[in-house]
Amino acid sequence: MERVARFAVLHGSRRRAIAALSAVSVGDFFVPALPTQTSVLALGLMQPQRAAWIALAFATAAALGAALLALLLSAVGGYAQQFGAEQFGADWTRITGRVQVLGLWAVFAASIFPTPPRLLTAATLLAGAAVPAVVAAVFAGKLIWFALFLGLLIKAPAVLARLPVLSGALLRFRAFQAAVLAGDRGDNS
């Protein structure tokens, strides 16, 4: 995680950093400790003119993560259906029917928040929702989240600085950035 954050600080002003960091964030559906939000924060501060590209790249990465999750679940989906039917009987059909209908909206709504909706996405996929619809819901929700986050970061940083959770993150990022840049300059002297 620190290596990714260090890369974001040292190379975050380069165009390729958007592609590299968003590619790493594909794994956010599988490895919760990945610094996706920190990467978006760093890129937004270092490349504010490319905010739309950053939002699009990270929303696409989240959608690819959901598609990979769907691919993995396709191998165990039949077993999960059989297990659910054995454990819950007639209720299982009712539950999966509900999740098929409401799951897409729930995945979309949950995707508008920072953390990817891993379990909700998995449950919706296992309930039989169409993979393209689930991936589109994740993409749309994450696009909204990243666009709002970057918009506030770039247009109204004072608003973010007043939010308890984000003010600490901004301060920690600035301190980390200063330390990494000081250390980088010290190594090259």
Side-chain angles (χ1 to χ4, degrees):
M1 190 165 98
E2 186 176 330
R3 288 177 123 179
V4 174
R6 185 175 299 281
F7 176 87
V9 169
L10 293 175
H11 305 286
S13 59
R14 297 180 183 165
R15 271 187 206 187
R16 290 180 284 168
I18 296 171
L21 291 171
S22 63
V24 169
S25 78
V26 169
D28 203 17
F29 257 86
F30 308 99
V31 182
L34 288 178
T36 299
Q37 306 310 317
T38 304
S39 297
V40 172
L41 177 85
L43 291 170
L45 291 172
M46 297 174 149
Q47 298 188 48
Q49 72 282 8
R50 293 190 181 103
W53 287 110
I54 296 167
L56 185 62
F58 280 85
T60 302
L64 286 172
L68 286 173
L69 180 64
L71 184 65
L72 289 172
L73 290 175
S74 68
V76 297
Y79 298 115
Q81 290 293 341
Q82 182 181 358
F83 177 78
E86 289 173 3
Q87 294 297 315
F88 301 106
D91 288 337
W92 181 250
T93 305
R94 187 176 49 80
I95 291 168
T96 56
R98 269 276 159 101
V99 172
Q100 283 177 349
V101 173
L102 300 175
L104 289 175
W105 288 107
V107 168
F108 168 72
S111 293
I112 298 175
F113 294 97
T115 305
R118 297 170 188 94
L119 293 176
L120 183 58
T121 302
T124 304
L125 288 164
L126 288 173
V131 172
V134 173
V135 170
V138 168
F139 175 79
K142 284 299 175 192
L143 187 60
I144 291 170
W145 162 249
F146 289 125
L148 288 173
F149 180 73
L150 287 165
L152 279 173
L153 180 68
I154 294 164
K155 301 293 184 193
V159 172
L160 286 180
R162 283 185 260 149
L163 297 173
V165 173
L166 294 177
S167 66
L170 283 169
L171 290 174
R172 284 190 306 276
F173 173 75
R174 290 292 188 192
F176 182 75
Q177 181 182 27
V180 167
L181 294 176
D184 187 51
R185 286 187 201 115
D187 292 339
N188 293 334
S189 320

